[in-house]
Amino acid sequence: MAETEPREGRLAAGLPAVAAGAVYGWAHWCFAGPAPPPTAVAWVGAVVLLVAACAGYVVAVGGSGSVFGGLLLAVGLLLTVAAADQTASRAESATCVVREVERRLQSSSGEGAPPAKTVYRLALDCPGGYPDELKDDRAVAEAGQEVRVAYDPRRRASPALEGTASPWRAVVWAVLLLAVSTVIAGRRGARDPERPAPDGRRPR
């Protein structure tokens, strides 16, 4: 038992990195691959990977810490998808008129997660009808103003204000949250020396 627990702890601690690699690989293929899956398949695949990773984490880690660590893992994996989206190519650009601006408060997912922020959704009128909206965490323009928008003509990556698409913010937060979930997982199997093992015997 004493030998298997550290091994199980190491396996659990490696799960966030493996999950992040799998999610990023899937998202990168969906956003930038030469032959990506249909949109519905891409979303279903992402949800399956996310749920499987979090469920596997909770089972492998166990205890109350697994729920908190699983939440951090989920947010970290969502940010991993966001990073993949920001690295995707947006080969075209257009000058669009802002038709309407909506503001929505995006609450924090809990302690250790990114803080609450205001998300702005700009409804756009662009030549050809696409893109038709732009989301940003800054008020980049008001209704009636023009903005220059970079977009993927294949409509796989989300539009972004020209010159601003950068994955680094998402990468930093993803690495931080995944690191904390890894630390929580790495403590799996650690017991008080005086606490009996599950078979009722005390450690020697």
Side-chain angles (χ1 to χ4, degrees), residues 13-33:
L15 196 151
V18 173
V23 168
Y24 182 84
W26 176 263
H28 182 73
W29 177 42
C30 295
F31 288 131

Side-chain angles (χ1 to χ4, degrees), residues 85-130:
D85 173 67
Q86 291 299 312
T87 57
S89 173
R90 293 166 174 79
E92 301 291 338
S93 60
T95 300
C96 307
V97 177
V98 178
R99 184 174 68 254
E100 182 183 5
V101 179
E102 296 179 2
R103 297 168 176 82
R104 180 172 60 88
L105 179 64
Q106 186 175 34
S107 60
S108 173
S109 299
E111 184 179 355
K117 65 178 181 179
T118 300
V119 177
Y120 296 86
R121 176 187 173 275
L122 282 65
L124 303 176
D125 288 327
C126 300
Y130 185 82

